[in-house]
Every structure is written in structure tokens, then in C-alpha cells.
Amino acid sequence: MKSTLKDILILGVGIVIAFVGAATIDPGMLFLLCEVLVLFFMAQMWNLLAGYGGQVSMGHQAFVGMGAYVLFVLANNTSISPWIILALVPFIIGLLALPLGAAVFRLKHAYFSIGMWVIAEFIQTLVIKTEVLGGSSGIVLRPGGNPLKGDPERAVFFIAVVACFALMIGLRRLLNAPIGLALLSVRDNEAAAESAGINVRKLHLQIFSLSAAGCAGAGALYYMTVLYLSPMDGFQINWVVAMMFICVVGGMGTLTGPFVGTLIFVGLRETMTAFDISGGRYWIVMGVIAVATLLFAPRGLWPFHQSLFAKGK
Amino acid sequence: MTSIAVFETLFQGLTLGGLYGLIGAGLALNFGVLRVVNLAHGEMITIGAYLGVGYLALVPELNLGFVLVGAMLGCAVIGALLQTVVVERAMATRDPMVAMLVTFGIAIIIRNLLVETLGADLRGLNVNGLGSASLQFGDFSVGVLPLLTLLIALTAFAGLAWLIAKTAFGRAVRATSDNPEIAALMGISSKWIHIQVSALACALAALAGVLLAMRSSLSPFSGVERLLIAFEVVVLGGLGSIRGALLAGIALGLAQVTAARFDSNAGMLYVHLTFLVGLTLRAVRGKLI
């Protein structure tokens, strides 16, 4: 059990970093770092489904928004601590994703992608029209009717760092376990994997639910620092665009790719903002980078960089 | 509802549905031949409409025919260029997901280019006051624009069906769609067919785009909604069926117009609901794509 000991050590290091960071970094920087960690987490969950499962979802913003809404609505209307609800969110949305996945996986490949997109738009419109959920004007997080006490970004940062460390360890173990090998075999040759006795439908449902749960948890965590949630924000398509760009540019189907992708995605945005270029022009540049990566290094920049290195030897 | 209101609703649903059918037919044609779902189709619809706005800004008295043909030609050129320069290269990776993600990237670039150059605000498109003109039939008054729209949509559908079923070009398109390798052996240049089909799909998108913008309004963000409708038309109508696209378009158009009578701020809610119900029914019957 040498690897287990190593994992525990890594997680321990993560907890120390999280604690020191949460205690010392100033609030503005913490806020940015929280966003970076949340984006990385979401991109990694999207990557699990798209890069490893071969199922490209264009509707994952639905889970981000749903996770945040579950947190806000439960916290505002019950006396349960929002931090406990936060821990429950992934389980609630993960369970909800099972019947949804069973329906939408009837659509294959590209149809699945856009089918998810339609579902996300549908849920967004539904929330806009539901007065109990605040309608189009949204809701403010007021646990039990009172404003949230303390600096939530310190706790959120701590949770986000630990969650990202745990996610990387968990994903590495998952991919080395039988389910991970089954996943890769299905991605590479579905018919062959099925004839080898893998239940493709069940496998896809499992990672779909996992991916939904992860995005919901990350979404709830993010809106914990924002304290305000509206359907136009929580269900915006930019969430899935960010996940996709990060994975495509960094490298889909690798664990390091989304890390590289997140650095480029946020690094570029912050650099451009520093030069007073933001909004539409940022998305244009990011779009050009994504398209260029897909055309010239379709596996992403991290695997491309690795292949360059391998040739140099 | 009075019988006049019912008639009006049906008529509106029919005209809107005709346009929905057209954007779906373009997307289906593209997918049938290229095996790539073009996620920039919605942006092509938007560009077509903005081209119409541009022509009218240059020549305010331009009649509808010229606006439509001009928008179609402009969009066809853009579609052919994008196919040649970008999408064909992405298709060379032999991974349909890579090509789809490339078109998604293109869609984001185009959408934000439109926002940056033309502004994000909603605008209308009015050609020679056609939007308000109407014809009186006894108690019924029928808008000239919806009537023209319906005629144009049906003509476009008939033209498309003829083009695919009866001409040499249509034969080459069907052959490439059925079996690209054999089609290539028979001397058909698949790249050239891809470019022609992309241009045709974009021209159809522009045609519907101008008419949709005249009916409601236009913004750089209209594309998303219209892409999803096109997709729903394709799934419900069945791939490769031009008649199916028309019928599915009309079903969705009717759903939207009828729902708007009872619930004026429903937006696309009931259109998506119709699609999801249709999908579920098909799943229950076990007939799926």
C-alpha cells in the first residue's frame, strides 16, 4: 500500500497549503484564486466525461446553476448550516443526474452534446419563470434569513484547494481502477469494449453522474463567495465554454491538460484586463487559440509539448 | 379564442414553422454530407440578418428580393471560406468531435466579433415598411410579410427538394453522403462537394435569418436560440428528410406561437418542451437516431 501512503502525504501537503493560503493571502487575491480553482475543478469534471468518456456535453452549465440554486434555496429556507448543505449538493445533483442521463444518453455523440445544451436552456428558462426561486432577478444568500457571517472566501479557498488535491488523487486512482480501464477501452473502441463484457450504458451513466456532481459542488462553492445568484449568471453558457476551452487548449483526456489550460485561460484574461482589453475581445482571442489548437495540435498543448520533448531526446 | 384568433395563431405558427424548417434543413444537409454538426449555423443565421441590415443602410429603398439574394450570396461566400480554410482541416483529423468543437470555437469568435463591431443591442429589420402592411380578406386581415414569408419558405423547400432529388449536383451530394469513398472513386471531388454544401446551408440560413429578423428582432446573441431550434428540427424531423424538417419546423413554430398566446413571456420554454416530449416519446417507442 505504498501508493496509498503517498496519496495521504500529498493530501496532507494540500491541507497545509490550503490552511496557510487561507490564513495569509489578501481577500482580492483569494477571490481570484477561488475562481481559478473552481474553474480547474469544473474543467477536470468535464474532462472526465469528454476526454475520458468521449461524451462532449454542451450543457454542463445546467449542473453549475442547479448546484448553486440547491445551496441558496436550502440555506435560505432552512436552519441547516450552508457549509453542510454545500457538502450535500454533489450528492443531490449526482442523484438527479441519473434519470436525466438515462434520458439524454439515448442521443449519441454530437446529438448528446446539443441535447444537453437544450436541457440546460430549458432549465434556465424554467428557473427564470419560477417566482419561488427568485425569477429573473435572482436570490441573495441569506442562510436562515441572516447575512452570511465572516469572510466566506477564506473558507471557500481552503475547501477549494483541498477539493482540487483530493480530485487529482481520486481521478488518478479511478483511472487506474477497473472502471477507469473500462472507460478508456469504451472511448477507444466502443464495440470491442461492449463485446468484452462492459456495460457501456451503465459506465457512461456513472461518470455522467460523477461529472454532474462535481460541477454542481464547484458551482455551489463559487457562488458562496459571490453571495448572489441569478439564472442569467448561474446557467450562463460561458461556464461550459470555459470548461471546453480549458480542456481543448490544455489537452483533453489528460490529467495535466486542464491544469495547463486553466493557467492559460485565466492568465490570458488577467493579462488582457491589465492592458484594458476585456469582454468580447478576450473571448475572440480565446476562441482563436482554441480553434488553432484543435487544428494544429488536436490533442491539446500539454500532449503536444510532451511529444516535442520526446522527439528531442 | 374566437375562430379568427385560432386562424391567426395557426397562420403565424405556419409561417414561423416554415422558417424553422429552413434552418433545420440547412443544418441537416450539412451534417448529412460533412458528418459534422455545425455549431456555427446559428451565427450564420445572424450574419445573414446583419448583412440585410447592412444592405438596407447602404440603399434604404432596396426591395426584399435583393436583400434576400444579397444576404444569401454573402453568407454562402463566408460559409464556403470557413469550410475551405478551417472546417475541412478539422475534418482531416478524422475525429468528428474535433470538427464540432472547431465550429463551436468559430461560433464564439463570430458572436463576439459581432458584439464588438455592431454592439450588443437588439435591433429590428424593416424592409420598405413590409412589416406593417396587411391584406384584408373579409373579417381576416393577413400581414403581407407572413404571407410572403410562407411563400418564400415553401418555394425554398421545393427548390431544395428538387435540387437534391433531380439534379446532377444533388446526385453527387447524395452519393457523398451515402458513401464518400465510392463517390470519390466515381470522380466526385468530396472537398468541392463539401464547399458547395456549406455554401448552400449558409445561404438557407441567411434566407431564414433575414425573414426571422424582420418578424421579431436581432442581436448578436440570437444565434444560440436559432441553432438549438435548427437542431431540434433535425432530431424531430429525422436526418436526410426534407419533408420531415418542414413538418418538425411547423410543429415547433405552432408550439411557440400557441404558447405565446397563453403565456406571453414564455420565450423558448414550450418549444424546448415540445422537443423534449417528442424525444421522450420516441425513446419510449424505441425508435431513435
Side-chain angles (χ1 to χ4, degrees), chain B residues 3-182:
Chain B
S3 60
I4 293 179
V6 171
F7 172 78
E8 273 177 12
T9 309
L10 283 177
F11 183 65
Q12 275 187 22
L14 212 59
T15 55
L16 185 60
L19 296 179
Y20 285 175
L22 269 187
I23 58 179
L27 190 68
L29 186 67
N30 217 46
F31 184 70
V33 178
L34 278 73
R35 302 281 162 218
V36 173
V37 176
N38 181 13
L39 297 182
H41 198 65
E43 272 57 43
M44 289 300 155
I45 298 168
T46 316
I47 289 181
Y50 274 113
L51 282 175
V53 172
Y55 295 143
L56 282 170
L58 291 176
V59 190
E61 295 303 310
L62 205 62
N63 80 33
L64 182 62
F66 284 106
V67 174
L68 287 175
V69 172
M72 288 171 79
L73 282 177
C75 248
V77 170
I78 295 172
L81 275 177
L82 277 178
Q83 177 64 32
T84 321
V85 179
V86 187
V87 183
E88 190 71 40
R89 280 168 196 253
M91 288 164 65
T93 59
R94 301 224 156 233
D95 182 346
M97 281 302 162
V98 167
M100 185 183 82
L101 291 173
V102 163
T103 63
F104 190 64
I106 295 174
I108 305 244
I109 296 170
I110 293 179
R111 192 181 312 149
N112 286 293
L113 276 176
L114 289 174
V115 172
E116 290 295 315
T117 53
L118 302 168
D121 43 328
L122 275 177
R123 59 174 94 198
L125 176 56
N126 191 0
V127 185
N128 295 328
L130 262 176
S132 48
S134 68
L135 293 173
Q136 201 72 26
F137 295 104
D139 282 346
F140 298 126
S141 101
V142 175
V144 173
L145 179 63
L147 204 61
L148 262 178
T149 302
L150 189 61
L151 283 177
I152 293 170
L154 290 178
T155 313
F157 260 102
L160 182 64
W162 172 79
L163 195 65
I164 300 296
K166 303 284 184 198
T167 64
F169 165 71
R171 204 156 47 241
V173 166
R174 280 180 287 134
T176 310
S177 166
D178 287 345
N179 194 327
E181 279 84 17
I182 304 292

Side-chain angles (χ1 to χ4, degrees), chain A residues 167-255:
Chain A
L167 177 76
M168 288 303 277
I169 295 166
L171 281 179
R172 187 156 295 179
R173 294 185 80 99
L174 180 88
L175 291 169
N176 286 324
I179 182 176
L181 299 176
L183 202 55
L184 293 181
S185 72
V186 170
R187 180 190 65 180
D188 295 338
N189 191 334
E190 189 169 328
E194 200 155 21
S195 66
I198 292 168
N199 186 340
V200 175
R201 222 175 126 63
K202 193 175 143 203
L203 188 68
H204 279 163
L205 257 186
Q206 284 170 333
I207 56 159
F208 180 74
S209 166
L210 199 60
S211 165
C215 282
L221 193 61
Y222 174 76
Y223 283 98
M224 204 82 170
T225 62
V226 181
L227 302 174
Y228 166 71
L229 174 64
S230 75
M232 305 318 280
D233 201 80
F235 292 100
Q236 64 178 313
I237 189 159
N238 283 351
W239 282 122
V240 82
V241 176
M243 295 179 217
M244 188 208 100
F245 278 2
I246 287 173
C247 291
V248 158
V249 172
M252 265 162 79
T254 64
L255 287 181

Side-chain angles (χ1 to χ4, degrees), chain A residues 44-292:
Chain A
Q44 201 64 277
M45 294 320 287
W46 191 83
N47 182 37
L48 175 68
L49 188 63
Y52 290 100
Q55 306 292 318
V56 176
S57 160
M58 293 286 178
H60 258 45
Q61 67 272 33
F63 301 123
V64 176
M66 278 156 71
Y69 265 97
V70 166
L71 170 73
F72 275 47
V73 170
L74 283 184
N76 285 7
N77 297 299
T78 63
S79 55
I80 311 169
S81 155
W83 303 103
I84 293 174
I85 299 170
L86 183 66
L88 294 176
V89 162
F91 295 97
I92 297 171
I93 300 298
L95 280 178
L96 266 177
L98 285 174
L100 181 68
V104 75
F105 269 124
R106 300 229 163 227
L107 297 171
K108 297 276 174 223
H109 308 296
Y111 287 94
F112 167 79
S113 311
I114 314 178
M116 277 303 300
W117 193 349
V118 172
I119 286 172
E121 290 279 319
F122 180 71
I123 295 175
Q124 183 187 39
T125 322
L126 212 58
V127 172
I128 290 175
K129 286 183 65 67
T130 311
E131 286 304 317
V132 189
L133 298 175
S136 58
S137 50
I139 35 181
V140 176
L141 183 64
R142 292 173 67 87
N146 308 306
L148 195 65
K149 284 188 280 291
D151 305 333
E153 63 271 11
R154 300 214 179 268
V156 167
F157 175 81
F158 180 82
I159 297 172
V161 172
V162 176
C164 284
F165 269 89
L167 177 76
M168 288 303 277
I169 295 166
L171 281 179
R172 187 156 295 179
R173 294 185 80 99
L174 180 88
L175 291 169
N176 286 324
I179 182 176
L181 299 176
L183 202 55
L184 293 181
S185 72
V186 170
R187 180 190 65 180
D188 295 338
N189 191 334
E190 189 169 328
E194 200 155 21
S195 66
I198 292 168
N199 186 340
V200 175
R201 222 175 126 63
K202 193 175 143 203
L203 188 68
H204 279 163
L205 257 186
Q206 284 170 333
I207 56 159
F208 180 74
S209 166
L210 199 60
S211 165
C215 282
L221 193 61
Y222 174 76
Y223 283 98
M224 204 82 170
T225 62
V226 181
L227 302 174
Y228 166 71
L229 174 64
S230 75
M232 305 318 280
D233 201 80
F235 292 100
Q236 64 178 313
I237 189 159
N238 283 351
W239 282 122
V240 82
V241 176
M243 295 179 217
M244 188 208 100
F245 278 2
I246 287 173
C247 291
V248 158
V249 172
M252 265 162 79
T254 64
L255 287 181
T256 320
F259 182 74
V260 176
T262 310
L263 289 185
I264 295 173
F265 186 83
V266 181
L268 184 72
R269 191 189 65 191
E270 293 304 309
T271 313
M272 287 181 72
T273 310
F275 286 98
D276 218 19
I277 306 168
S278 58
R281 279 177 288 173
Y282 164 69
W283 287 107
I284 294 169
V285 173
M286 202 61 221
V288 170
I289 292 177
V291 170

Side-chain angles (χ1 to χ4, degrees), chain A residues 3-20 41 158-171 173:
Chain A
S3 68
T4 311
L5 191 68
K6 201 174 126 198
D7 286 349
I8 292 173
L9 271 177
I10 294 175
L11 192 62
V13 172
I15 291 173
V16 172
I17 292 175
F19 189 78
V20 174
F41 197 96
F158 180 82
I159 297 172
V161 172
V162 176
C164 284
F165 269 89
L167 177 76
M168 288 303 277
I169 295 166
L171 281 179
R173 294 185 80 99

